[in-house]
Amino acid sequence: MLVLEILRGTSARPSYELTTPVITLGRAATNTIVLTDYHLSGEHAQILREGAGYVFRDLRSTNGSAVERAGTRIAVDASRRHELGLEPGDLILLGDARAPVQIRIRFGPPLTPGLPADDAELAERLVATRSIIDLPAVRDQIDRDPVSALKVYKALQPLSGRLDQAAVLDAVADAAFEILSRATHVTILLRAEADKDRFTLALQRERGGAHRPPEPGVDPVRASRAILRRVLTDRAAILTANAQEELPSSESIMGGQILSVIAVPLWRGEEITGLLQADNRRTAGMFDESNLEVALLIGAQAALALDNAGLVGRLKLAEERARGENVYLKRREEKARFPDIIGESEAMQQVFGQLDKVIDTRATVCIDGETGTGKELVASAIHYKSGRRDKMFVAQNCAALPENLLESELFGHKRGAFTSADSDKKGLFEIADGGTLFLDEMGEMPLSLQAKLLRVLQEGTIRPVGATAEKQVDVRIICATNRDLAAEVEKGRFRSDLYYRLMVFPIRLPPLRERRDDIPLLAKHFLTKYAAEYRVELPGFSQESLDALAGYAWPGNIRELENEIQRLVIQCEPALHIEVTDLSPRLRKIESTVAKVAPKKGTLREMMDQVERWLISEALRDHGGNKTRTAVTLGITREGLHKKLDKLGL
């Protein structure tokens, strides 16, 4: 017996002596103990008899619960633990932590020694068990009876077409009622995803009725606890019986008014994920072992259908999440026109303006730029910003393969076309159909392949090596070169007709020395990238080191800068700024350059003339004495340059 003493709270009585296995507390009138305090939930908590003891369980209440034991407050709510075993003298605290309802508990005499009462009673009532390993034999036995097999097949058939968990649970209950004619109630418990040791009520139905909530004061999860424990322990389906009235020991239990229960585990591999329970609560007679065997089949199909529904649900959730992420990424891309291309200099803004104009066209683009300026990055940006983004972006370096292999790589080949062609192979044009093909180092392509490429551009067809028929393809061509293709045409090394086909929309990428304002941005980008890759923390660059990086000519362009930053990340001490002394020797030469520029002492005019003379001399040297290019670099006219040369005596 359990005695509850209401120390603080609004209740009809100051104390309760209770013997029922399930006690509910809360504001709702259906509770065992009604507490009308405003800060309690309608169904706030339960006290459940378990063996000789009791368990307190919070029912996901709004303001939570706690148990005070020996001066220590133990929270019992959804965010921590949802239940706690009770001890005599515990103080239960419900609702608002500042002024909770207080209930003192004490126990009466223990129910029975030895086994927990529910388990001991169940052991006496156990009629039969069937292990999951008996399932093949059960199937064979039912298959030998065509009438039974057809009945089972028709009852279980709807399970295969349900992909929603609620629909599957209803179909399982329908199948159980159809196959088990004596069943009056069906209950399904499922293992909680967040807590593998908990089973929660998924469905409770009465024959002829729809899904309904638990009966007031009855928790089917707790009421089935002894059965659930037995199923989990034996890893088997069980059949139990219970006499409605005391029977003489000489009378057979089979002759009395019997309530019986079949409980079947739901399996996923070696794991029990749920429990299917069928009750006979009204009729005379009881379930028999044949019913238990058929129920084992229902459980096997129910577990499979529930797993499939769970998988479909997770796929739908993942699809919705991916759709949301795609929307977010698309919006982010709209804010940053070309997020992968770093550059704020005027030269790069001009490039961005050209890209904006050509992205959503079919025009062939030819990207001109020195080695290491990021031509492939720009080509991929054009593709992934265009309407072809959902198709393939394929890149091929024309200088990386000899002529015969390059032809096979681009156009594909048929089996037997040459010695090593032991199977058909798709070429890059066919792979990129509907998408974009980027041809790097276009100036290195042999003349014979240039003719084939010209046909693709003109006709939109390709012919694999060794094939007799042509294939239609829809491919956008983007090419890149670091050569002067116009000069190559004059020398006869590049077809003029192909040249004009490729030069529909030329884009020139400036070398890094023409966009020095972007060097600090690029350096910081590569520092962040490689610091994350090598898992080191570097606070950044000193201003002197950034000045040295910006002052270097970078003949290898962005690729050379990236390699330098990668070396610095590997070499430098963590948590320290990168200094000039950490840079490669070729970059540290800038220090001696500063010393050269430093003028000798004199008047302001004299010192400025010395600096101007040095700068103009260096610019002339960089351009091989070409005064027109020197004037452009210095930002003055050719006539202005001549005046300065005369003035400075150069």
Side-chain angles (χ1 to χ4, degrees):
M1 182 178 65
L2 181 69
V3 178
L4 302 183
E5 183 181 1
I6 313 299
L7 302 181
R8 178 194 291 174
T10 307
S11 175
R13 292 162 49 188
S15 65
Y16 296 83
E17 295 181 359
L18 302 160
T19 58
T20 56
V22 181
I23 301 162
T24 59
L25 306 98
R27 286 190 297 108
T30 54
N31 288 290
T32 310
I33 299 177
V34 179
L35 300 160
T36 58
D37 299 78
Y38 72 93
H39 53 90
L40 299 188
S41 298
E43 294 180 354
H44 195 99
Q46 287 179 334
I47 299 176
L48 310 139
R49 188 172 70 200
E50 186 173 29
Y54 292 88
V55 172
F56 174 77
R57 179 184 181 194
D58 184 88
L59 297 177
R60 312 289 179 182
S61 63
T62 302
N63 293 319
S65 308
V67 172
E68 185 176 310
R69 179 177 299 163
T72 301
R73 187 179 185 278
I74 305 171
V76 184
D77 55 34
S79 63
R80 298 174 182 85
R81 66 178 80 197
H82 71 283
E83 65 180 29
L84 179 71
L86 293 173
E87 296 179 2
D90 282 349
L91 186 64
I92 297 175
L93 310 175
L94 305 178
D96 189 352
R98 293 169 296 183
V101 171
Q102 297 181 359
I103 303 174
R104 178 77 67 186
I105 71 164
R106 59 185 176 84
F107 295 174
L111 296 173
T112 53
L115 285 175
D118 290 346
D119 289 5
E121 183 184 356
L122 178 63
E124 294 176 357
R125 295 188 286 112
L126 190 64
V127 175
T129 65
R130 287 292 185 275
S131 171
I132 193 69
I133 62 176
D134 298 328
L135 186 59
V138 169
R139 283 200 180 103
D140 291 342
Q141 182 177 344
I142 292 178
D143 287 344
R144 286 195 289 270
D145 181 356
V147 176
S148 298
L150 182 61
K151 181 180 179 181
V152 171
Y153 171 77
K154 286 184 176 180
L156 296 178
Q157 190 177 23
L159 286 177
S160 61
R162 309 291 174 90
L163 297 178
D164 176 73
Q165 187 184 75
V168 170
L169 292 171
D170 281 334
V172 172
D174 291 341
F177 284 129
E178 186 171 347
I179 297 175
L180 304 173
S181 58
R182 288 191 173 97
T184 60
H185 295 75
V186 169
T187 301
I188 300 176
L189 309 181
L190 294 178
R191 189 186 293 271
E193 290 294 332
D195 185 353
K196 298 298 184 183
D197 294 329
R198 285 184 58 236
F199 285 78
T200 59
L201 176 66
L203 177 139
Q204 184 182 44
R205 267 181 55 185
E206 187 175 357
R207 181 179 289 275
H211 174 86
R212 61 185 179 84
E215 298 173 8
V218 177
D219 181 352
V221 180
R222 297 299 173 184
S224 302
R225 175 173 287 212
I227 291 176
L228 177 61
R229 275 201 303 267
R230 186 62 184 252
V231 168
L232 293 175
T233 301
D234 294 354
R235 301 176 70 81
I238 63 173
L239 167 60
T240 67
N242 180 39
Q244 290 184 340
E245 56 186 27
E246 291 293 329
L247 299 174
S249 58
S250 60
E251 183 179 355
S252 168
I253 193 172
M254 298 296 292
Q257 296 292 315
I258 302 297
L259 298 181
S260 52
V261 176
I262 288 176
V264 180
L266 306 180
W267 293 78
R268 182 190 299 132
E270 294 296 318
E271 180 186 12
I272 295 178
T273 59
L275 178 77
L276 170 63
Q277 180 174 315
D279 298 358
N280 172 12
R281 300 185 186 179
R282 300 194 187 103
T283 60
M286 60 175 287
F287 292 127
D288 56 26
E289 293 189 33
S290 65
N291 297 137
L292 179 63
E293 292 172 347
V294 173
L296 197 63
L297 284 179
I298 301 174
Q301 291 300 114
L304 180 60
L306 286 169
D307 275 354
N308 289 340
L311 177 59
V312 170
R314 289 191 295 273
L315 288 174
K316 288 181 178 178
L317 182 62
E319 183 180 2
E320 291 175 3
R321 186 181 295 115
R323 189 181 298 114
E325 291 174 354
N326 286 338
V327 170
Y328 166 75
L329 291 173
K330 287 180 179 178
R331 288 176 179 171
R332 190 176 69 175
E333 287 178 1
E334 289 172 0
K335 293 179 181 178
R337 288 188 298 171
F338 303 99
D340 295 329
I341 304 176
I342 298 172
E344 297 179 357
S345 63
E346 183 179 348
M348 287 306 298
Q349 294 306 315
Q350 293 177 3
V351 172
F352 292 149
Q354 289 181 292
L355 294 179
D356 284 332
K357 294 175 182 177
V358 79
I359 278 174
D360 287 321
T361 70
R362 292 178 54 86
T364 302
V365 178
C366 185
I367 305 171
D368 177 31
E370 296 179 4
T371 299
T373 51
K375 296 185 288 294
E376 183 170 348
L377 185 63
V378 171
S380 66
I382 294 173
H383 170 77
Y384 288 109
K385 282 286 188 176
S386 72
R388 295 174 176 261
R389 67 176 67 91
D390 295 330
K391 300 296 183 179
M392 293 286 290
F393 173 79
V394 182
Q396 175 61 47
N397 189 326
C398 297
L401 296 174
E403 179 177 350
N404 58 335
L405 292 181
L406 181 60
E407 181 180 9
S408 172
E409 192 72 17
L410 292 176
F411 301 101
H413 63 249
K414 302 296 288 182
R415 180 180 180 183
F418 45 85
T419 304
S420 59
D422 53 0
S423 62
D424 291 353
K425 176 185 176 181
K426 286 186 177 181
L428 297 183
F429 275 101
E430 193 171 353
I431 292 173
D433 191 15
T436 304
L437 176 60
F438 173 59
L439 299 175
D440 199 5
E441 304 294 351
M442 189 64 210
E444 305 292 337
M445 180 177 284
L447 285 168
S448 59
L449 289 185
Q450 291 179 27
K452 284 197 168 188
L453 177 60
L454 180 63
R455 180 168 181 79
V456 177
L457 292 172
Q458 290 176 335
E459 307 295 337
T461 59
I462 61 169
R463 179 179 293 176
V465 179
T468 57
E470 293 185 334
K471 294 182 179 180
Q472 194 77 26
V473 292
D474 173 23
V475 178
R476 182 178 190 177
I477 301 294
I478 300 177
C479 66
T481 180
N482 58 6
R483 289 191 178 190
D484 185 349
L485 290 185
E488 294 294 300
V489 170
E490 292 179 3
K491 296 174 183 177
R493 292 199 290 260
F494 201 86
R495 294 178 62 103
S496 60
D497 46 3
L498 179 59
Y499 171 79
Y500 292 114
R501 281 279 182 179
L502 296 177
M503 288 295 174
V504 174
F505 197 93
I507 295 177
R508 177 182 177 273
L509 288 186
L512 196 51
R513 62 181 174 273
E514 294 182 13
R515 41 180 297 212
R516 294 182 186 275
D517 293 347
D518 294 333
I519 291 176
L521 293 175
L522 290 163
K524 291 174 183 176
H525 167 75
F526 292 131
L527 179 66
T528 302
K529 171 184 174 181
Y530 287 110
E533 180 178 337
Y534 296 120
R535 299 181 182 179
V536 297
E537 292 186 7
L538 292 170
F541 298 89
S542 68
Q543 187 57 50
E544 292 78 7
S545 61
L546 283 176
D547 291 341
L549 291 172
Y552 180 60
W554 299 107
N557 293 295
I558 298 174
R559 187 178 295 122
E560 183 184 4
L561 174 62
E562 181 176 3
N563 293 341
E564 174 68 15
I565 302 305
Q566 184 179 9
R567 184 194 65 79
L568 289 171
V569 171
I570 296 172
Q571 174 181 299
C572 290
E573 293 295 327
L576 296 179
H577 281 81
I578 296 175
E579 302 291 345
V580 175
T581 53
D582 297 320
L583 303 180
S584 298
R586 68 183 185 282
L587 274 72
R588 293 202 300 269
K589 288 181 181 179
I590 191 67
E591 295 175 296
S592 61
T593 302
V594 172
K596 292 178 183 178
V597 176
K600 296 178 182 179
K601 290 185 178 180
T603 65
L604 178 60
R605 171 61 63 185
E606 289 171 346
M607 289 190 291
M608 291 183 65
D609 286 346
Q610 292 176 48
V611 173
E612 192 172 18
R613 182 181 293 106
W614 187 88
L615 292 173
I616 293 175
S617 298
E618 287 298 307
L620 284 167
R621 185 179 297 109
D622 288 343
H623 293 290
N626 188 305
K627 295 178 182 178
T628 301
R629 293 182 182 176
T630 300
V632 172
T633 300
L634 295 175
I636 59 178
T637 64
R638 182 181 173 87
E639 291 75 12
L641 177 61
H642 276 293
K643 289 180 181 179
K644 288 185 178 293
L645 292 176
D646 292 340
K647 173 187 171 184
L648 299 172
L650 293 174

